[in-house]
PDB file of all heavy atoms in Angstrom:
ATOM      1  N   LEU F   1     -22.895   9.594  -1.310  1.00 97.00           N
ATOM      2  CA  LEU F   1     -22.761   9.001  -2.639  1.00 97.00           C
ATOM      3  C   LEU F   1     -22.141   7.616  -2.523  1.00 97.00           C
ATOM      4  O   LEU F   1     -21.066   7.453  -1.927  1.00 97.00           O
ATOM      5  CB  LEU F   1     -21.873   9.873  -3.519  1.00 97.00           C
ATOM      6  CG  LEU F   1     -22.565  10.833  -4.485  1.00 97.00           C
ATOM      7  CD1 LEU F   1     -21.535  11.707  -5.179  1.00 97.00           C
ATOM      8  CD2 LEU F   1     -23.360  10.044  -5.505  1.00 97.00           C
ATOM      9  N   ASP F   2     -22.782   6.605  -3.104  1.00 97.00           N
ATOM     10  CA  ASP F   2     -22.214   5.267  -3.114  1.00 97.00           C
ATOM     11  C   ASP F   2     -21.854   4.801  -4.517  1.00 97.00           C
ATOM     12  O   ASP F   2     -21.409   3.680  -4.710  1.00 97.00           O
ATOM     13  CB  ASP F   2     -23.172   4.267  -2.449  1.00 97.00           C
ATOM     14  CG  ASP F   2     -24.576   4.326  -3.047  1.00 97.00           C
ATOM     15  OD1 ASP F   2     -24.795   3.717  -4.087  1.00 97.00           O
ATOM     16  OD2 ASP F   2     -25.435   4.973  -2.447  1.00 97.00           O
ATOM     17  N   ASP F   3     -22.048   5.664  -5.519  1.00 97.00           N
ATOM     18  CA  ASP F   3     -21.712   5.363  -6.906  1.00 97.00           C
ATOM     19  C   ASP F   3     -20.306   5.861  -7.220  1.00 97.00           C
ATOM     20  O   ASP F   3     -20.017   7.059  -7.109  1.00 97.00           O
ATOM     21  CB  ASP F   3     -22.733   6.007  -7.843  1.00 97.00           C
ATOM     22  CG  ASP F   3     -22.440   5.725  -9.305  1.00 97.00           C
ATOM     23  OD1 ASP F   3     -22.901   4.670  -9.793  1.00 97.00           O
ATOM     24  OD2 ASP F   3     -21.754   6.538  -9.959  1.00 97.00           O
ATOM     25  N   LEU F   4     -19.417   4.967  -7.588  1.00 98.00           N
ATOM     26  CA  LEU F   4     -18.007   5.305  -7.799  1.00 98.00           C
ATOM     27  C   LEU F   4     -17.828   6.353  -8.885  1.00 98.00           C
ATOM     28  O   LEU F   4     -17.131   7.353  -8.688  1.00 98.00           O
ATOM     29  CB  LEU F   4     -17.211   4.047  -8.146  1.00 98.00           C
ATOM     30  CG  LEU F   4     -15.733   4.264  -8.521  1.00 98.00           C
ATOM     31  CD1 LEU F   4     -14.966   4.910  -7.376  1.00 98.00           C
ATOM     32  CD2 LEU F   4     -15.099   2.932  -8.933  1.00 98.00           C
ATOM     33  N   ALA F   5     -18.439   6.151 -10.047  1.00 97.00           N
ATOM     34  CA  ALA F   5     -18.246   7.065 -11.175  1.00 97.00           C
ATOM     35  C   ALA F   5     -18.726   8.468 -10.843  1.00 97.00           C
ATOM     36  O   ALA F   5     -18.059   9.464 -11.153  1.00 97.00           O
ATOM     37  CB  ALA F   5     -18.959   6.531 -12.411  1.00 97.00           C
ATOM     38  N   LEU F   6     -19.879   8.573 -10.206  1.00 97.00           N
ATOM     39  CA  LEU F   6     -20.419   9.885  -9.870  1.00 97.00           C
ATOM     40  C   LEU F   6     -19.569  10.572  -8.804  1.00 97.00           C
ATOM     41  O   LEU F   6     -19.350  11.781  -8.854  1.00 97.00           O
ATOM     42  CB  LEU F   6     -21.865   9.758  -9.400  1.00 97.00           C
ATOM     43  CG  LEU F   6     -22.614  11.073  -9.116  1.00 97.00           C
ATOM     44  CD1 LEU F   6     -22.512  12.038 -10.287  1.00 97.00           C
ATOM     45  CD2 LEU F   6     -24.080  10.791  -8.770  1.00 97.00           C
ATOM     46  N   LEU F   7     -19.071   9.808  -7.855  1.00 97.00           N
ATOM     47  CA  LEU F   7     -18.203  10.388  -6.830  1.00 97.00           C
ATOM     48  C   LEU F   7     -16.911  10.911  -7.453  1.00 97.00           C
ATOM     49  O   LEU F   7     -16.434  11.994  -7.108  1.00 97.00           O
ATOM     50  CB  LEU F   7     -17.904   9.364  -5.743  1.00 97.00           C
ATOM     51  CG  LEU F   7     -17.066   9.856  -4.557  1.00 97.00           C
ATOM     52  CD1 LEU F   7     -17.711  11.060  -3.877  1.00 97.00           C
ATOM     53  CD2 LEU F   7     -16.853   8.735  -3.532  1.00 97.00           C
ATOM     54  N   GLU F   8     -16.334  10.156  -8.377  1.00 97.00           N
ATOM     55  CA  GLU F   8     -15.139  10.631  -9.075  1.00 97.00           C
ATOM     56  C   GLU F   8     -15.428  11.932  -9.818  1.00 97.00           C
ATOM     57  O   GLU F   8     -14.606  12.853  -9.822  1.00 97.00           O
ATOM     58  CB  GLU F   8     -14.642   9.556 -10.044  1.00 97.00           C
ATOM     59  CG  GLU F   8     -14.027   8.344  -9.359  1.00 97.00           C
ATOM     60  CD  GLU F   8     -13.634   7.263 -10.337  1.00 97.00           C
ATOM     61  OE1 GLU F   8     -14.366   7.058 -11.347  1.00 97.00           O
ATOM     62  OE2 GLU F   8     -12.591   6.611 -10.106  1.00 97.00           O
ATOM     63  N   GLN F   9     -16.601  12.019 -10.434  1.00 97.00           N
ATOM     64  CA  GLN F   9     -16.964  13.226 -11.148  1.00 97.00           C
ATOM     65  C   GLN F   9     -17.126  14.407 -10.197  1.00 97.00           C
ATOM     66  O   GLN F   9     -16.684  15.525 -10.494  1.00 97.00           O
ATOM     67  CB  GLN F   9     -18.268  12.999 -11.926  1.00 97.00           C
ATOM     68  CG  GLN F   9     -18.702  14.199 -12.790  1.00 97.00           C
ATOM     69  CD  GLN F   9     -17.679  14.553 -13.820  1.00 97.00           C
ATOM     70  OE1 GLN F   9     -17.244  13.700 -14.602  1.00 97.00           O
ATOM     71  NE2 GLN F   9     -17.245  15.816 -13.869  1.00 97.00           N
ATOM     72  N   ARG F  10     -17.736  14.157  -9.032  1.00 96.00           N
ATOM     73  CA  ARG F  10     -17.922  15.226  -8.039  1.00 96.00           C
ATOM     74  C   ARG F  10     -16.575  15.756  -7.535  1.00 96.00           C
ATOM     75  O   ARG F  10     -16.393  16.960  -7.343  1.00 96.00           O
ATOM     76  CB  ARG F  10     -18.751  14.696  -6.859  1.00 96.00           C
ATOM     77  CG  ARG F  10     -20.226  14.508  -7.184  1.00 96.00           C
ATOM     78  CD  ARG F  10     -20.962  15.842  -7.204  1.00 96.00           C
ATOM     79  NE  ARG F  10     -22.386  15.664  -7.402  1.00 96.00           N
ATOM     80  CZ  ARG F  10     -23.247  15.366  -6.433  1.00 96.00           C
ATOM     81  NH1 ARG F  10     -22.832  15.232  -5.179  1.00 96.00           N
ATOM     82  NH2 ARG F  10     -24.535  15.218  -6.715  1.00 96.00           N
ATOM     83  N   ILE F  11     -15.637  14.861  -7.300  1.00 95.00           N
ATOM     84  CA  ILE F  11     -14.306  15.277  -6.851  1.00 95.00           C
ATOM     85  C   ILE F  11     -13.652  16.170  -7.896  1.00 95.00           C
ATOM     86  O   ILE F  11     -13.043  17.194  -7.574  1.00 95.00           O
ATOM     87  CB  ILE F  11     -13.444  14.038  -6.540  1.00 95.00           C
ATOM     88  CG1 ILE F  11     -13.968  13.359  -5.265  1.00 95.00           C
ATOM     89  CG2 ILE F  11     -11.970  14.413  -6.389  1.00 95.00           C
ATOM     90  CD1 ILE F  11     -13.310  12.019  -4.962  1.00 95.00           C
ATOM     91  N   ALA F  12     -13.811  15.807  -9.172  1.00 95.00           N
ATOM     92  CA  ALA F  12     -13.270  16.629 -10.253  1.00 95.00           C
ATOM     93  C   ALA F  12     -13.995  17.969 -10.344  1.00 95.00           C
ATOM     94  O   ALA F  12     -13.353  19.016 -10.516  1.00 95.00           O
ATOM     95  CB  ALA F  12     -13.378  15.874 -11.578  1.00 95.00           C
ATOM     96  N   ASP F  13     -15.322  17.953 -10.203  1.00 94.00           N
ATOM     97  CA  ASP F  13     -16.107  19.189 -10.291  1.00 94.00           C
ATOM     98  C   ASP F  13     -15.732  20.182  -9.198  1.00 94.00           C
ATOM     99  O   ASP F  13     -15.813  21.400  -9.396  1.00 94.00           O
ATOM    100  CB  ASP F  13     -17.606  18.878 -10.206  1.00 94.00           C
ATOM    101  CG  ASP F  13     -18.136  18.139 -11.430  1.00 94.00           C
ATOM    102  OD1 ASP F  13     -17.444  18.147 -12.472  1.00 94.00           O
ATOM    103  OD2 ASP F  13     -19.236  17.543 -11.329  1.00 94.00           O
ATOM    104  N   HIS F  14     -15.351  19.668  -8.026  1.00 92.00           N
ATOM    105  CA  HIS F  14     -14.982  20.529  -6.907  1.00 92.00           C
ATOM    106  C   HIS F  14     -13.493  20.863  -6.912  1.00 92.00           C
ATOM    107  O   HIS F  14     -12.989  21.474  -5.968  1.00 92.00           O
ATOM    108  CB  HIS F  14     -15.366  19.871  -5.580  1.00 92.00           C
ATOM    109  CG  HIS F  14     -16.832  19.940  -5.264  1.00 92.00           C
ATOM    110  ND1 HIS F  14     -17.780  19.175  -5.911  1.00 92.00           N
ATOM    111  CD2 HIS F  14     -17.534  20.721  -4.381  1.00 92.00           C
ATOM    112  CE1 HIS F  14     -18.975  19.446  -5.427  1.00 92.00           C
ATOM    113  NE2 HIS F  14     -18.860  20.383  -4.506  1.00 92.00           N
ATOM    114  N   HIS F  15     -12.787  20.445  -7.951  1.00 91.00           N
ATOM    115  CA  HIS F  15     -11.362  20.754  -8.121  1.00 91.00           C
ATOM    116  C   HIS F  15     -10.538  20.259  -6.937  1.00 91.00           C
ATOM    117  O   HIS F  15      -9.620  20.936  -6.441  1.00 91.00           O
ATOM    118  CB  HIS F  15     -11.146  22.262  -8.324  1.00 91.00           C
ATOM    119  CG  HIS F  15     -11.972  22.840  -9.434  1.00 91.00           C
ATOM    120  ND1 HIS F  15     -11.751  22.554 -10.769  1.00 91.00           N
ATOM    121  CD2 HIS F  15     -13.060  23.675  -9.412  1.00 91.00           C
ATOM    122  CE1 HIS F  15     -12.647  23.182 -11.509  1.00 91.00           C
ATOM    123  NE2 HIS F  15     -13.445  23.877 -10.718  1.00 91.00           N
ATOM    124  N   LEU F  16     -10.852  19.045  -6.487  1.00 92.00           N
ATOM    125  CA  LEU F  16     -10.124  18.420  -5.400  1.00 92.00           C
ATOM    126  C   LEU F  16      -9.062  17.484  -5.964  1.00 92.00           C
ATOM    127  O   LEU F  16      -9.259  16.878  -7.017  1.00 92.00           O
ATOM    128  CB  LEU F  16     -11.090  17.639  -4.499  1.00 92.00           C
ATOM    129  CG  LEU F  16     -12.201  18.464  -3.835  1.00 92.00           C
ATOM    130  CD1 LEU F  16     -13.215  17.557  -3.145  1.00 92.00           C
ATOM    131  CD2 LEU F  16     -11.622  19.459  -2.834  1.00 92.00           C
ATOM    132  N   PRO F  17      -7.931  17.359  -5.295  1.00 91.00           N
ATOM    133  CA  PRO F  17      -6.869  16.480  -5.792  1.00 91.00           C
ATOM    134  C   PRO F  17      -7.284  15.014  -5.687  1.00 91.00           C
ATOM    135  O   PRO F  17      -7.428  14.494  -4.575  1.00 91.00           O
ATOM    136  CB  PRO F  17      -5.680  16.795  -4.891  1.00 91.00           C
ATOM    137  CG  PRO F  17      -6.307  17.331  -3.623  1.00 91.00           C
ATOM    138  CD  PRO F  17      -7.540  18.044  -4.039  1.00 91.00           C
ATOM    139  N   PRO F  18      -7.459  14.319  -6.797  1.00 92.00           N
ATOM    140  CA  PRO F  18      -7.989  12.946  -6.738  1.00 92.00           C
ATOM    141  C   PRO F  18      -7.113  11.988  -5.956  1.00 92.00           C
ATOM    142  O   PRO F  18      -7.631  11.064  -5.315  1.00 92.00           O
ATOM    143  CB  PRO F  18      -8.096  12.542  -8.223  1.00 92.00           C
ATOM    144  CG  PRO F  18      -7.200  13.482  -8.957  1.00 92.00           C
ATOM    145  CD  PRO F  18      -7.222  14.758  -8.187  1.00 92.00           C
ATOM    146  N   GLU F  19      -5.786  12.197  -5.967  1.00 93.00           N
ATOM    147  CA  GLU F  19      -4.888  11.287  -5.263  1.00 93.00           C
ATOM    148  C   GLU F  19      -5.143  11.283  -3.752  1.00 93.00           C
ATOM    149  O   GLU F  19      -4.922  10.275  -3.073  1.00 93.00           O
ATOM    150  CB  GLU F  19      -3.429  11.625  -5.550  1.00 93.00           C
ATOM    151  CG  GLU F  19      -2.965  13.013  -5.078  1.00 93.00           C
ATOM    152  CD  GLU F  19      -3.290  14.143  -6.046  1.00 93.00           C
ATOM    153  OE1 GLU F  19      -3.984  13.894  -7.063  1.00 93.00           O
ATOM    154  OE2 GLU F  19      -2.861  15.290  -5.780  1.00 93.00           O
ATOM    155  N   ALA F  20      -5.619  12.411  -3.227  1.00 91.00           N
ATOM    156  CA  ALA F  20      -5.887  12.485  -1.788  1.00 91.00           C
ATOM    157  C   ALA F  20      -7.121  11.691  -1.385  1.00 91.00           C
ATOM    158  O   ALA F  20      -7.338  11.429  -0.192  1.00 91.00           O
ATOM    159  CB  ALA F  20      -6.046  13.939  -1.355  1.00 91.00           C
ATOM    160  N   TYR F  21      -7.948  11.325  -2.342  1.00 95.00           N
ATOM    161  CA  TYR F  21      -9.206  10.636  -2.060  1.00 95.00           C
ATOM    162  C   TYR F  21      -9.226   9.198  -2.579  1.00 95.00           C
ATOM    163  O   TYR F  21     -10.283   8.567  -2.587  1.00 95.00           O
ATOM    164  CB  TYR F  21     -10.388  11.419  -2.660  1.00 95.00           C
ATOM    165  CG  TYR F  21     -10.549  12.788  -2.055  1.00 95.00           C
ATOM    166  CD1 TYR F  21      -9.910  13.893  -2.611  1.00 95.00           C
ATOM    167  CD2 TYR F  21     -11.311  12.982  -0.914  1.00 95.00           C
ATOM    168  CE1 TYR F  21     -10.031  15.155  -2.051  1.00 95.00           C
ATOM    169  CE2 TYR F  21     -11.448  14.238  -0.346  1.00 95.00           C
ATOM    170  CZ  TYR F  21     -10.798  15.321  -0.929  1.00 95.00           C
ATOM    171  OH  TYR F  21     -10.919  16.572  -0.359  1.00 95.00           O
ATOM    172  N   GLU F  22      -8.065   8.676  -2.992  1.00 96.00           N
ATOM    173  CA  GLU F  22      -8.027   7.313  -3.494  1.00 96.00           C
ATOM    174  C   GLU F  22      -8.534   6.322  -2.454  1.00 96.00           C
ATOM    175  O   GLU F  22      -9.275   5.391  -2.752  1.00 96.00           O
ATOM    176  CB  GLU F  22      -6.612   6.945  -3.948  1.00 96.00           C
ATOM    177  CG  GLU F  22      -6.284   7.387  -5.364  1.00 96.00           C
ATOM    178  CD  GLU F  22      -7.213   6.746  -6.396  1.00 96.00           C
ATOM    179  OE1 GLU F  22      -7.371   5.501  -6.381  1.00 96.00           O
ATOM    180  OE2 GLU F  22      -7.798   7.493  -7.204  1.00 96.00           O
ATOM    181  N   TRP F  23      -8.108   6.518  -1.220  1.00 97.00           N
ATOM    182  CA  TRP F  23      -8.556   5.612  -0.161  1.00 97.00           C
ATOM    183  C   TRP F  23     -10.067   5.699   0.026  1.00 97.00           C
ATOM    184  O   TRP F  23     -10.728   4.675   0.295  1.00 97.00           O
ATOM    185  CB  TRP F  23      -7.829   5.934   1.153  1.00 97.00           C
ATOM    186  CG  TRP F  23      -8.252   7.254   1.765  1.00 97.00           C
ATOM    187  CD1 TRP F  23      -7.692   8.470   1.544  1.00 97.00           C
ATOM    188  CD2 TRP F  23      -9.346   7.461   2.671  1.00 97.00           C
ATOM    189  NE1 TRP F  23      -8.368   9.444   2.246  1.00 97.00           N
ATOM    190  CE2 TRP F  23      -9.387   8.850   2.951  1.00 97.00           C
ATOM    191  CE3 TRP F  23     -10.288   6.633   3.261  1.00 97.00           C
ATOM    192  CZ2 TRP F  23     -10.321   9.418   3.812  1.00 97.00           C
ATOM    193  CZ3 TRP F  23     -11.239   7.194   4.119  1.00 97.00           C
ATOM    194  CH2 TRP F  23     -11.239   8.571   4.391  1.00 97.00           C
ATOM    195  N   TYR F  24     -10.621   6.912  -0.106  1.00 97.00           N
ATOM    196  CA  TYR F  24     -12.059   7.125   0.050  1.00 97.00           C
ATOM    197  C   TYR F  24     -12.827   6.466  -1.099  1.00 97.00           C
ATOM    198  O   TYR F  24     -13.904   5.899  -0.885  1.00 97.00           O
ATOM    199  CB  TYR F  24     -12.324   8.622   0.108  1.00 97.00           C
ATOM    200  CG  TYR F  24     -13.755   9.029   0.387  1.00 97.00           C
ATOM    201  CD1 TYR F  24     -14.379   8.691   1.572  1.00 97.00           C
ATOM    202  CD2 TYR F  24     -14.471   9.774  -0.548  1.00 97.00           C
ATOM    203  CE1 TYR F  24     -15.690   9.083   1.839  1.00 97.00           C
ATOM    204  CE2 TYR F  24     -15.774  10.180  -0.295  1.00 97.00           C
ATOM    205  CZ  TYR F  24     -16.373   9.833   0.894  1.00 97.00           C
ATOM    206  OH  TYR F  24     -17.681  10.230   1.151  1.00 97.00           O
ATOM    207  N   LEU F  25     -12.262   6.514  -2.298  1.00 98.00           N
ATOM    208  CA  LEU F  25     -12.894   5.869  -3.450  1.00 98.00           C
ATOM    209  C   LEU F  25     -12.887   4.346  -3.304  1.00 98.00           C
ATOM    210  O   LEU F  25     -13.766   3.668  -3.831  1.00 98.00           O
ATOM    211  CB  LEU F  25     -12.185   6.287  -4.736  1.00 98.00           C
ATOM    212  CG  LEU F  25     -12.338   7.771  -5.123  1.00 98.00           C
ATOM    213  CD1 LEU F  25     -11.400   8.122  -6.278  1.00 98.00           C
ATOM    214  CD2 LEU F  25     -13.782   8.099  -5.473  1.00 98.00           C
ATOM    215  N   ASP F  26     -11.905   3.818  -2.565  1.00 98.00           N
ATOM    216  CA  ASP F  26     -11.879   2.367  -2.322  1.00 98.00           C
ATOM    217  C   ASP F  26     -13.151   1.876  -1.645  1.00 98.00           C
ATOM    218  O   ASP F  26     -13.560   0.729  -1.830  1.00 98.00           O
ATOM    219  CB  ASP F  26     -10.676   1.997  -1.454  1.00 98.00           C
ATOM    220  CG  ASP F  26      -9.402   1.799  -2.268  1.00 98.00           C
ATOM    221  OD1 ASP F  26      -9.479   1.748  -3.511  1.00 98.00           O
ATOM    222  OD2 ASP F  26      -8.325   1.689  -1.638  1.00 98.00           O
ATOM    223  N   LEU F  27     -13.768   2.749  -0.852  1.00 98.00           N
ATOM    224  CA  LEU F  27     -15.002   2.354  -0.168  1.00 98.00           C
ATOM    225  C   LEU F  27     -16.112   2.064  -1.170  1.00 98.00           C
ATOM    226  O   LEU F  27     -17.036   1.301  -0.871  1.00 98.00           O
ATOM    227  CB  LEU F  27     -15.449   3.445   0.804  1.00 98.00           C
ATOM    228  CG  LEU F  27     -14.430   3.910   1.850  1.00 98.00           C
ATOM    229  CD1 LEU F  27     -15.030   4.999   2.729  1.00 98.00           C
ATOM    230  CD2 LEU F  27     -13.950   2.751   2.691  1.00 98.00           C
ATOM    231  N   ARG F  28     -16.029   2.646  -2.363  1.00 98.00           N
ATOM    232  CA  ARG F  28     -17.014   2.396  -3.419  1.00 98.00           C
ATOM    233  C   ARG F  28     -16.572   1.260  -4.336  1.00 98.00           C
ATOM    234  O   ARG F  28     -17.398   0.667  -5.040  1.00 98.00           O
ATOM    235  CB  ARG F  28     -17.238   3.660  -4.258  1.00 98.00           C
ATOM    236  CG  ARG F  28     -18.201   4.654  -3.599  1.00 98.00           C
ATOM    237  CD  ARG F  28     -17.607   5.348  -2.382  1.00 98.00           C
ATOM    238  NE  ARG F  28     -18.532   6.292  -1.749  1.00 98.00           N
ATOM    239  CZ  ARG F  28     -18.292   6.905  -0.613  1.00 98.00           C
ATOM    240  NH1 ARG F  28     -17.162   6.669   0.038  1.00 98.00           N
ATOM    241  NH2 ARG F  28     -19.179   7.740  -0.120  1.00 98.00           N
ATOM    242  N   ARG F  29     -15.305   0.945  -4.342  1.00 98.00           N
ATOM    243  CA  ARG F  29     -14.799  -0.148  -5.172  1.00 98.00           C
ATOM    244  C   ARG F  29     -14.996  -1.506  -4.512  1.00 98.00           C
ATOM    245  O   ARG F  29     -15.156  -2.519  -5.183  1.00 98.00           O
ATOM    246  CB  ARG F  29     -13.309   0.059  -5.451  1.00 98.00           C
ATOM    247  CG  ARG F  29     -12.975   1.301  -6.262  1.00 98.00           C
ATOM    248  CD  ARG F  29     -11.483   1.361  -6.564  1.00 98.00           C
ATOM    249  NE  ARG F  29     -11.126   2.553  -7.328  1.00 98.00           N
ATOM    250  CZ  ARG F  29     -10.399   3.546  -6.858  1.00 98.00           C
ATOM    251  NH1 ARG F  29      -9.930   3.499  -5.612  1.00 98.00           N
ATOM    252  NH2 ARG F  29     -10.129   4.612  -7.614  1.00 98.00           N
ATOM    253  N   PHE F  30     -14.979  -1.526  -3.201  1.00 98.00           N
ATOM    254  CA  PHE F  30     -14.970  -2.789  -2.485  1.00 98.00           C
ATOM    255  C   PHE F  30     -16.136  -2.847  -1.497  1.00 98.00           C
ATOM    256  O   PHE F  30     -16.012  -2.482  -0.334  1.00 98.00           O
ATOM    257  CB  PHE F  30     -13.641  -2.988  -1.763  1.00 98.00           C
ATOM    258  CG  PHE F  30     -12.436  -2.841  -2.664  1.00 98.00           C
ATOM    259  CD1 PHE F  30     -11.596  -1.741  -2.562  1.00 98.00           C
ATOM    260  CD2 PHE F  30     -12.165  -3.786  -3.644  1.00 98.00           C
ATOM    261  CE1 PHE F  30     -10.495  -1.601  -3.391  1.00 98.00           C
ATOM    262  CE2 PHE F  30     -11.066  -3.647  -4.482  1.00 98.00           C
ATOM    263  CZ  PHE F  30     -10.243  -2.564  -4.360  1.00 98.00           C
ATOM    264  N   GLY F  31     -17.279  -3.302  -1.989  1.00 97.00           N
ATOM    265  CA  GLY F  31     -18.442  -3.502  -1.118  1.00 97.00           C
ATOM    266  C   GLY F  31     -19.257  -2.253  -0.854  1.00 97.00           C
ATOM    267  O   GLY F  31     -19.753  -2.057   0.266  1.00 97.00           O
ATOM    268  N   SER F  32     -19.430  -1.399  -1.867  1.00 97.00           N
ATOM    269  CA  SER F  32     -20.189  -0.162  -1.681  1.00 97.00           C
ATOM    270  C   SER F  32     -21.650  -0.458  -1.352  1.00 97.00           C
ATOM    271  O   SER F  32     -22.278  -1.323  -1.966  1.00 97.00           O
ATOM    272  CB  SER F  32     -20.101   0.690  -2.952  1.00 97.00           C
ATOM    273  OG  SER F  32     -20.774   1.926  -2.777  1.00 97.00           O
ATOM    274  N   VAL F  33     -22.180   0.270  -0.383  1.00 98.00           N
ATOM    275  CA  VAL F  33     -23.587   0.139  -0.004  1.00 98.00           C
ATOM    276  C   VAL F  33     -24.146   1.531   0.279  1.00 98.00           C
ATOM    277  O   VAL F  33     -23.398   2.466   0.572  1.00 98.00           O
ATOM    278  CB  VAL F  33     -23.782  -0.744   1.254  1.00 98.00           C
ATOM    279  CG1 VAL F  33     -23.234  -2.146   1.017  1.00 98.00           C
ATOM    280  CG2 VAL F  33     -23.133  -0.101   2.485  1.00 98.00           C
ATOM    281  N   PRO F  34     -25.467   1.699   0.201  1.00 97.00           N
ATOM    282  CA  PRO F  34     -26.051   2.966   0.660  1.00 97.00           C
ATOM    283  C   PRO F  34     -25.714   3.187   2.127  1.00 97.00           C
ATOM    284  O   PRO F  34     -25.691   2.244   2.920  1.00 97.00           O
ATOM    285  CB  PRO F  34     -27.554   2.752   0.454  1.00 97.00           C
ATOM    286  CG  PRO F  34     -27.656   1.631  -0.533  1.00 97.00           C
ATOM    287  CD  PRO F  34     -26.476   0.754  -0.290  1.00 97.00           C
ATOM    288  N   HIS F  35     -25.456   4.439   2.489  1.00 98.00           N
ATOM    289  CA  HIS F  35     -25.168   4.754   3.888  1.00 98.00           C
ATOM    290  C   HIS F  35     -25.436   6.228   4.135  1.00 98.00           C
ATOM    291  O   HIS F  35     -25.494   7.031   3.195  1.00 98.00           O
ATOM    292  CB  HIS F  35     -23.736   4.375   4.268  1.00 98.00           C
ATOM    293  CG  HIS F  35     -22.662   5.032   3.444  1.00 98.00           C
ATOM    294  ND1 HIS F  35     -22.424   4.715   2.129  1.00 98.00           N
ATOM    295  CD2 HIS F  35     -21.744   5.979   3.767  1.00 98.00           C
ATOM    296  CE1 HIS F  35     -21.418   5.431   1.669  1.00 98.00           C
ATOM    297  NE2 HIS F  35     -20.994   6.223   2.645  1.00 98.00           N
TER     298      HIS F  35
END
């Protein structure tokens, strides 16, 4: 997933603690590309 909003939604859907993935979400905030 390279879409920030959808990734945030997926983290919530899987009941994962969002604070633990802030660094991972940065990859979508700063220069996100398909990968």
Side-chain angles (χ1 to χ4, degrees):
L1 262 175
D2 53 82
D3 180 87
L4 175 60
L6 185 52
L7 183 57
E8 289 176 323
Q9 183 60 53
R10 287 283 185 82
I11 289 172
D13 291 343
H14 284 73
H15 307 291
L16 300 171
E19 63 277 6
Y21 297 91
E22 276 299 309
W23 70 270
Y24 185 62
L25 293 170
D26 275 349
L27 305 180
R28 279 71 180 173
R29 296 184 181 112
F30 307 109
S32 183
V33 301
H35 58 289

